[in-house]
Amino acid sequence: MKQKFQINGISCGGCVSRVKKTLEDHPKIEKAEIFLAPKGATVITMKETLSVDELQKQLSDLEGYTIEKL
């Protein structure tokens, strides 16, 4: 199932790569698509629904990124 999110703190391709890899390391996430235009727009394909809190916890190792549901 695909869900749309906004990730704040994305400013370059390096940010996209780091956040994408971190999200896709979660066993319930199949694919994360993060866009620079519009900045931080994200589509996450999940095997099971994850809450925004669970996704934020996955990003906790990276500083400066927050995620919110669209």
Side-chain angles (χ1 to χ4, degrees):
M1 111 191 37
K2 290 185 179 185
Q3 293 189 341
K4 294 182 181 181
F5 297 90
Q6 173 66 38
I7 298 181
N8 301 307
I10 299 285
S11 60
C12 65
C15 297
V16 169
S17 295
R18 278 190 299 278
V19 172
K20 176 179 173 63
K21 180 183 182 325
T22 299
L23 287 171
E24 290 178 347
D25 282 346
H26 193 289
K28 293 182 182 176
I29 295 177
E30 293 177 5
K31 183 178 180 183
E33 299 171 88
I34 304 168
F35 303 94
L36 285 173
K39 193 178 285 187
T42 304
V43 177
I44 299 175
T45 305
M46 304 177 203
K47 297 174 187 172
E48 294 176 32
T49 302
L50 295 170
S51 70
V52 171
D53 288 340
E54 290 172 299
L55 294 170
Q56 186 64 59
K57 186 177 178 186
Q58 183 69 16
L59 291 176
S60 65
D61 288 345
L62 301 176
E63 287 189 26
Y65 301 103
T66 58
I67 188 166
E68 58 191 63
K69 183 101 168 96
L70 288 182

